[in-house]
Amino acid sequence: MAASSASKLFRAGRSLLGGLKDPNGSIGLSKDLPRSYLFSQQQRTFIQMRTNLKVVDNSGAKRVMCIQALKGKRGARLGDTIVASVKEAQPGGKVKKGQVVYGVVVRAAMQRGRSDGSEIKFDDNAVVLVNKQGEPIGTRVFGPVPHELRKKKHVKILSLAQHIA
């Protein structure tokens, strides 16, 4: 059933991705890119509900899932605070699996423009767990942290970080 509807779309001159199909079989939006490139690339978006994030401090959690972004309607970006549920945790850590915690986004895969005209983008989405007052739960922060956190009043996280990007 699905295969027949897909073939009807191709016969009508449109692909499943929405671009116009060329007579030679390639998709019209990507004449210079190989077809495998389109499928390997992901759309980078805001950190929103049900986004899995890596925890980059020594609080005991390894992975959390975002429950709610506290600032905007569209989602969280660098420096924003989120509410998250711990999905994986180390035994003997300060936080346990299933616990609801607050976190500050320190790395995001979505691009963010800087005031000097450059853009910053990370390979993964990562958070540092904080308490209700905004103080970090862990005592170390691993990996690079952007200096934009200074504007968002997260200076304590910057002082614990190994590298400031």
Side-chain angles (χ1 to χ4, degrees):
M1 177 88 181
S4 65
S5 63
S7 64
K8 288 178 186 175
L9 284 173
F10 279 111
R11 274 187 261 131
R14 302 213 26 107
S15 71
L16 294 174
L17 298 176
L20 292 175
K21 191 176 80 165
D22 289 341
N24 61 2
S26 65
I27 297 172
L29 297 176
S30 60
K31 291 181 181 177
D32 54 342
L33 296 176
R35 183 169 266 175
S36 63
Y37 180 80
L38 284 173
F39 295 110
S40 67
Q41 296 298 311
Q42 293 180 347
Q43 181 67 28
R44 305 293 185 180
T45 59
F46 290 93
I47 292 167
Q48 53 196 348
M49 195 183 320
R50 297 182 59 90
T51 301
N52 284 310
L53 301 109
K54 183 178 178 181
V55 180
V56 291
D57 62 6
N58 62 347
S59 61
K62 293 180 182 178
R63 189 174 56 90
V64 295
M65 183 180 73
C66 178
I67 296 174
Q68 182 181 14
L70 291 181
K71 185 186 173 207
K73 291 180 181 178
R74 295 178 63 183
R77 297 182 78 174
L78 284 175
D80 291 343
T81 304
I82 63 169
V83 179
S85 171
V86 177
K87 291 298 179 185
E88 287 180 31
Q90 297 173 344
K94 295 178 185 174
V95 295
K96 306 294 182 221
K97 181 179 176 181
Q99 190 174 347
V100 176
V101 293
Y102 289 92
V104 174
V105 178
V106 294
R107 291 201 293 262
M110 185 178 178
Q111 286 184 355
R112 179 176 176 126
R114 288 186 164 172
S115 58
D116 63 352
S118 64
E119 291 180 334
I120 187 165
K121 178 173 103 172
F122 294 97
D123 292 336
D124 60 349
N125 297 318
V127 295
V128 171
L129 300 185
V130 295
N131 58 15
K132 286 190 177 184
Q133 290 77 31
E135 300 162 353
I137 295 175
T139 56
R140 295 174 64 197
V141 176
F142 307 110
V145 173
H147 71 267
E148 280 89 359
L149 294 180
R150 191 177 310 276
K151 293 178 186 174
K152 302 271 187 160
K153 308 289 190 256
H154 298 295
V155 181
K156 182 71 174 174
I157 294 173
L158 283 173
S159 66
L160 295 175
Q162 292 178 344
H163 182 263
I164 299 174

